[in-house]
Amino acid sequence: FNDWTRNILMVTRYDDKEYVIDKELKEVDVNTATSEEIATFEAYERDATKVHCIMLATMTTELQKSYEDYYPYEMHQDLLDMYH
């Protein structure tokens, strides 16, 4: 697990997407959010989808099935609880 985490962090750091593992996605209310808040949310979602794919691609099939509906932050926190 420690090797896997280190590799994921290196890949995401390389592409400036490490923040999606460290920072939880907060939903925004499009009726009250500013255009800047909406743009930030949409950028986070795009980055989270890319990191999610990388994380799943490097897992065993059983873990993939368990985490296919998680965001990277949630996935990482759950794995930390289980394996750290």
Side-chain angles (χ1 to χ4, degrees):
F1 174 74
N2 290 332
D3 292 342
W4 177 83
T5 299
R6 190 171 26 264
N7 288 332
I8 292 296
L9 291 175
M10 279 190 283
V11 170
T12 56
R13 190 174 299 135
Y14 170 78
D15 207 17
D16 295 325
K17 294 180 182 7
E18 183 179 17
Y19 75 97
V20 299
I21 294 174
D22 297 329
K23 182 180 173 190
E24 186 174 12
L25 175 65
K26 301 289 186 187
E27 295 285 332
V28 295
D29 182 357
V30 293
N31 298 319
T32 58
T34 66
S35 57
E36 184 179 315
E37 290 171 327
I38 292 170
T40 299
F41 174 80
E42 290 172 347
Y44 182 105
E45 258 196 331
R46 279 191 307 275
D47 291 346
T49 299
K50 293 173 184 177
V51 172
H52 174 83
C53 292
I54 292 167
M55 291 173 81
L56 286 181
T58 59
M59 291 180 169
T60 65
T61 305
E62 287 304 312
L63 284 174
Q64 287 174 350
K65 291 175 188 176
S66 298
Y67 290 109
E68 62 188 353
D69 295 326
Y70 281 60
Y71 276 106
Y73 173 82
E74 298 164 332
M75 188 185 318
H76 188 243
Q77 293 303 308
D78 196 57
L79 289 166
L80 281 174
D81 289 344
M82 285 192 329
Y83 297 112
H84 197 258

